[in-house]
């Protein structure tokens, strides 16, 4: 009996950690628990953005959630059903072989978000966003994607709720990640390489350079221009905004119940940060416990040295996109014109971070660490050999941080409970692993970073 060897069996892919009762009925909002009020989203003239002004871009209910101060928000039954259809609750697993290999007294648990059909956590918010748009009469939703994780999640969600989907995909990824592009097309979405000739901004960039590689910031600008120039069309964003992080809290809420069932509570919560949604999703229910003085958990966010927003960025107001079409948000940023080197963790190539996560970092509640991509792929490869799951390059950043935490626990002789988010699998990112194994992976670490920032109100 495996149970005899691997107890507790509640934890694992087939085990009872996936009891349907674990799926929450409410999303969790961190805003009312923050140690300081969240600085408002503002316009370039310095005045706060009004909710009505965002309704041009987003579904009304999503805007309401963006500004909400309620501690919880009910998950519509249709969205809960869709969550079950894509495999929620996701399993809580224990990385026993990794523990043993490291010789650590730490117990390492992880939420495995890679079991969803698109292979990552992104579908948790994609389904909610598509649902609200569908019931509000939106016919077409538009977004951008880098590596394609978000684009494929939204394409699936659009297919579930009967919406047309257009995805502006960063041109280099469009060429280098044909499988993600095909996945979106399989779900029925229209995928356009960005910069494209479908928007004024795209045409301008293509005129300057017909082979422009594109960037996430540019694709956001094009998607927004598309939305404001088309009827019955709304924009969807895969990270950063409050409502996106809110939807992702299903991860942490499930994890909390799953840990409770086996009498555990995390001493350290680890995750990778691109815009911050998967990490916020896992950590916020635990962060709130810490802010209320109920726990002493440490929070560790891992990011790439090539795009070190939390470790080397500034906490200032900045645009969310490259063209400067979005409102300004106060966040850790490298500047909206920052050139992000072409690392394989496409989902971590964003110049800023979610406003709530940024505030928590500024207040010292959350710590951050940055890694080079070779050490990240080394950690990902080790994890795959020991645990069987090939982590997405993004998630491998979290794995690297977990290994460091587990070794620290070993050195200090502390049997800590480490919880992390394995935000996605890397089976569509094997090109990165191939380069790593061939010894061809390049590391990028900018010597100096001078963020170019807007000056609100001038
Ligand atoms: C998009 C993505 C990320 C980074 O985005 P966050 O908003 O920071 O979560 C991390 N992991 C995977 C697998 C992703 O697809």
């Amino acid at each position: 009996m495996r149970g005899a060897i691997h107890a507790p069996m509640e934890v694992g892919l087939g085990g009872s950690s996936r009891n349907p009762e674990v799926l929450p009925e409410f999303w969790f909002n961190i805003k009312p628990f923050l140690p300081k009020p969240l600085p408002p989203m503002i316009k370039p003239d310095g005045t706060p953005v009004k909710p009505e002004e965002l309704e041009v871009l987003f579904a009304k209910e999503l805007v309401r959630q963006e500004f909400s101060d309620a501690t919880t928000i009910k998950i519509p039954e249709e969205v809960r059903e869709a969550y079950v259809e894509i495999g929620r609750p996701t399993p809580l697993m224990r990385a026993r072989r990794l523990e043993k290999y490291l010789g650590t007294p730490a117990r390492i648990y992880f939420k495995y978000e890679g079991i969803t059909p698109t292979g990552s956590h992104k579908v948790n918010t994609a389904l909610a966003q598509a649902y609200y748009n569908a019931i509000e009469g939106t016919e077409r939703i538009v977004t951008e994607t880098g590596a394609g994780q978000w684009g494929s999640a939204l394409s699936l969600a659009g297919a579930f709720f009967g919406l047309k989907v257009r995805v502006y995909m960063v041109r280099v990824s469009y060429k280098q990640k044909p499988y993600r592009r095909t996945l979106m097309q399989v779900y029925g979405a229209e995928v356009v390489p960005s910069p494209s000739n479908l928007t004024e901004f795209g045409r301008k960039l293509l005129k300057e350079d017909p082979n422009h590689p594109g960037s996430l910031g540019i694709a956001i600008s094009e998607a927004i221009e598309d939305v404001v120039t088309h009827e019955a069309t709304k924009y969807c964003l895969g990270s950063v905004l409050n409502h996106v992080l809110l939807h992702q809290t299903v991860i942490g809420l499930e994890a909390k119940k799953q840990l409770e069932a086996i009498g555990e509570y995390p001493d350290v919560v680890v995750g990778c940060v691109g815009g911050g949604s998967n990490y916020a999703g896992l950590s916020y229910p635990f962060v709130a416990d810490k802010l209320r003085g109920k726990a002493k958990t440490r929070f560790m966010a891992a990011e790439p040295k090539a795009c070190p927003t939390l470790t080397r960025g500034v906490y200032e107001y900045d645009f969310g996109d490259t063209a400067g079409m979005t409102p300004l948000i106060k966040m850790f940023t490298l500047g909206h014109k920052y050139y992000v080197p072409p690392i394989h963790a496409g989902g971590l190539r964003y110049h800023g971070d979610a406003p709530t996560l940024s505030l928590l970092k500024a207040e010292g509640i959350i710590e951050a660490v940055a890694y080079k991509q070779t050490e990240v792929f080394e950690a990902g490869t080790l994890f795959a050999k020991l645990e069987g799951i090939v982590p997405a390059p993004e998630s491998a950043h979290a794995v690297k941080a977990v290994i460091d935490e587990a070794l620290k626990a070993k050195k200090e002789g502390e049997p800590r409970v480490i919880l992390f988010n394995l935000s996605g699998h890397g089976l569509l990112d094997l090109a990165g692993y191939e380069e790593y194994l061939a010894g061809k992976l390049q590391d990028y670490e900018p010597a100096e970073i001078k963020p170019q920032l807007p000056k609100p109100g001038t």
Side-chain angles (χ1 to χ4, degrees):
M1 277 236 330
R2 281 192 71 215
I5 313 164
H6 287 285
M9 276 306 282
E10 299 90 280
V11 178
L13 256 179
S16 61
S17 79
R18 298 183 70 190
N19 179 343
E21 278 169 27
V22 160
L23 186 70
E25 288 178 27
F26 295 86
W27 288 302
F28 176 76
N29 188 8
I30 192 72
K31 230 165 133 199
F33 299 95
L34 293 173
K36 274 187 184 169
L38 191 66
M41 210 183 257
I42 60 173
K43 290 182 267 191
D45 68 6
T47 59
V49 173
K50 298 189 196 89
E52 312 86 86
E53 291 168 322
L54 280 188
E55 287 173 7
V56 182
L57 291 179
F58 299 99
K60 280 195 174 67
E61 175 58 23
L62 295 170
V63 174
R64 199 187 65 80
Q65 294 178 0
E66 187 62 29
F67 286 86
S68 174
D69 289 315
T71 55
T72 56
I73 291 173
K74 187 152 175 45
I75 308 176
E77 251 342 278
E78 291 86 342
V79 175
R80 285 188 86 225
E81 270 168 28
Y83 279 168
V84 172
E85 284 161 3
I86 54 117
R88 302 215 75 83
T90 57
L92 177 77
M93 300 175 77
R94 183 162 168 192
R96 287 179 181 275
R97 291 174 198 272
L98 180 63
E99 290 170 15
K100 201 168 159 211
Y101 174 88
L102 298 173
T104 178
R107 299 192 291 286
I108 304 173
Y109 295 95
F110 62 99
K111 276 294 266 182
Y112 184 39
E113 293 294 303
I115 65 143
T116 71
T118 55
S120 84
H121 67 285
K122 295 237 169 56
V123 70
N124 299 331
T125 183
L127 290 168
Q129 294 189 38
Y131 168 75
Y132 289 121
N133 272 292
I135 60 168
E136 288 181 21
T138 305
E139 289 166 15
R140 196 171 157 267
I141 48 179
V142 177
T143 196
E144 70 290 324
T145 199
Q149 287 274 18
W150 168 240
S152 42
L154 196 70
S155 301
L156 169 62
F160 271 20
F161 291 106
L163 296 167
K164 283 191 200 140
V165 180
R166 179 183 279 174
V167 182
Y168 287 88
M169 185 173 192
V170 177
R171 187 176 289 269
V172 277
S173 305
Y174 184 90
K175 289 191 188 145
Q176 286 170 2
K177 309 245 171 179
Y179 297 124
R180 283 257 167 229
R181 184 180 81 207
T182 306
L183 185 58
M184 291 184 258
Q185 290 164 336
V186 164
Y187 290 132
E190 181 193 357
V191 189
V192 177
S194 164
S196 76
N197 54 19
L198 297 176
T199 67
E200 207 169 300
F201 185 55
R203 285 190 291 272
K204 183 179 146 236
L205 294 175
L206 284 179
K207 209 165 151 195
E208 289 162 12
D209 175 4
N211 293 313
H212 200 300
S215 74
L216 207 53
I218 291 168
I220 297 176
S221 305
E222 283 203 278
I224 290 176
E225 188 184 324
D226 184 311
V227 170
V228 297
T229 54
H230 288 82
E231 288 294 310
T233 299
K234 295 282 183 207
Y235 175 60
C236 293
L237 193 65
S239 187
V240 180
L241 294 180
N242 298 335
H243 68 268
V244 180
L245 274 58
L246 174 85
H247 302 151
Q248 293 297 354
T249 58
V250 285
I251 306 170
L253 293 166
E254 286 177 6
K256 211 169 177 189
K257 280 198 191 163
Q258 290 166 322
L259 284 172
E260 243 166 49
I262 51 169
E264 295 277 42
Y265 191 93
D267 297 302
V268 190
V269 178
V270 177
C272 66
V273 171
S277 73
N278 88 85
Y279 186 56
L282 175 69
S283 66
Y284 280 3
F286 300 102
V287 168
D289 285 351
K290 178 164 175 165
L291 292 171
R292 284 177 290 187
K294 287 188 184 171
K296 292 206 168 86
T297 308
R298 277 176 53 234
F299 296 93
M300 182 57 76
E303 63 180 13
K305 276 203 187 297
C307 193
T309 50
L310 290 172
T311 49
R312 294 178 66 190
V314 290
Y315 185 45
E316 296 286 353
Y317 271 105
D318 196 5
F319 288 112
D321 68 328
T322 302
M325 293 170 78
T326 69
L328 305 180
I329 45 184
K330 188 154 182 191
M331 59 182 176
F332 273 93
T333 178
L334 301 167
H336 59 287
K337 300 248 164 84
Y338 178 74
Y339 168 76
V340 188
I343 52 167
H344 284 279
L348 307 187
R349 296 182 64 221
Y350 183 64
H351 67 269
D353 284 301
T356 51
L357 194 73
S358 296
L359 186 145
L360 289 164
K361 168 68 171 57
E363 292 296 307
I365 311 292
I366 283 172
E367 301 164 55
V369 61
Y371 295 113
K372 292 185 217 168
Q373 72 171 351
T374 41
E375 56 187 348
V376 163
F377 274 91
E378 187 185 357
T381 306
L382 176 69
F383 191 83
K385 272 186 219 154
L386 292 167
E387 300 292 337
I389 299 169
V390 180
E394 292 85 359
S395 321
H397 286 75
V399 173
K400 170 65 180 151
V402 165
I403 292 173
D404 285 358
E405 284 295 328
L407 291 174
K408 199 166 140 212
K410 178 179 177 178
K411 205 167 143 204
E412 294 165 9
E414 294 276 350
R416 287 182 193 128
V417 174
I418 302 174
L419 171 68
F420 80 100
N421 202 7
L422 190 51
S423 51
H425 71 66
L427 294 179
L428 291 173
D429 307 284
L430 292 180
Y433 280 92
E434 190 179 359
E435 267 187 34
Y436 167 72
L437 293 174
K440 287 183 182 158
L441 211 55
Q442 212 182 317
D443 280 324
Y444 305 90
E445 192 175 352
E448 202 183 0
I449 298 172
K450 282 190 189 153
Q452 272 187 53
L453 299 169
K455 294 191 179 62
T458 54

